[in-house]
Amino acid sequence: MLTEFGLERMMRFGHIRIYSGVQPVSANTEASGDLLAIVSTDGVMPQPSSTAGGLLMQMGEYGDRLVKRGNWVLRGVSTGYAGWWRFVEAGYTVQGYDASRPRIDGTVGESLQIGNLQITPQTHEVIDDFLLYFPPSEV
């Protein structure tokens, strides 16, 4: 599930969008809250037809997690308090919602660690830690 043929491959060169408010019940619903920031490699703002700035992950030390690879940078786009995030695939279009496109949701402070929950358009912060953990399934 986590390997270069699974989740890592599906999300390769995607980016993370940070929103205000409460995380939706499911990643299969439209985003709620205000878009506050984008997390990308080196802070390059993603474009729908490009992989520039796309995020990369790699297997963690124990093989049951994906961790960030490269220099992930959060860039603020509006003002508010971060509540949750959505990791979207490469080529994600800013306008319109497509339920068939890969995405992962999470709460800020769990998998995605940021220094300050208050975000402004001037916010520019290196992301020190990102982790997706999948416990082993029981047989």
Side-chain angles (χ1 to χ4, degrees):
M1 171 83 179
L2 298 176
T3 69
E4 62 191 42
F5 302 107
L7 185 61
E8 186 279 328
R9 175 66 187 116
M10 194 177 337
M11 303 313 294
R12 191 178 296 165
F13 300 120
H15 65 277
I16 296 174
R17 302 167 67 80
I18 297 176
Y19 294 89
S20 64
V22 179
Q23 177 181 341
V25 176
S26 167
N28 290 328
T29 60
E30 280 194 69
S32 60
D34 296 323
L35 176 63
L36 301 177
I38 303 286
V39 177
S40 62
T41 297
D42 297 326
V44 173
M45 293 306 270
Q47 300 298 316
S49 60
S50 173
T51 59
L55 299 173
L56 297 172
M57 295 182 287
Q58 63 190 21
M59 290 293 281
E61 181 179 351
Y62 302 106
D64 59 353
R65 57 198 70 201
L66 287 172
V67 297
K68 75 179 196 83
R69 187 172 107 200
N71 184 40
W72 290 23
V73 175
L74 177 152
R75 285 185 57 190
V77 296
S78 65
T79 300
Y81 285 91
W84 67 282
W85 55 265
R86 178 166 284 174
F87 196 148
V88 297
E89 69 170 339
Y92 177 86
T93 57
V94 176
Q95 300 299 321
Y97 173 74
D98 183 347
S100 68
R101 308 306 284 191
R103 68 207 152 276
I104 305 165
D105 287 358
T107 303
V108 171
E110 289 178 353
S111 297
L112 177 66
Q113 303 294 322
I114 63 175
N116 189 347
L117 296 180
Q118 185 174 3
I119 295 174
T120 70
Q122 291 75 38
T123 303
H124 187 93
E125 177 184 335
V126 173
I127 301 296
D128 290 325
D129 194 30
F130 179 80
L131 166 93
L132 288 176
Y133 172 71
F134 287 77
S137 61
E138 296 182 25
V139 180

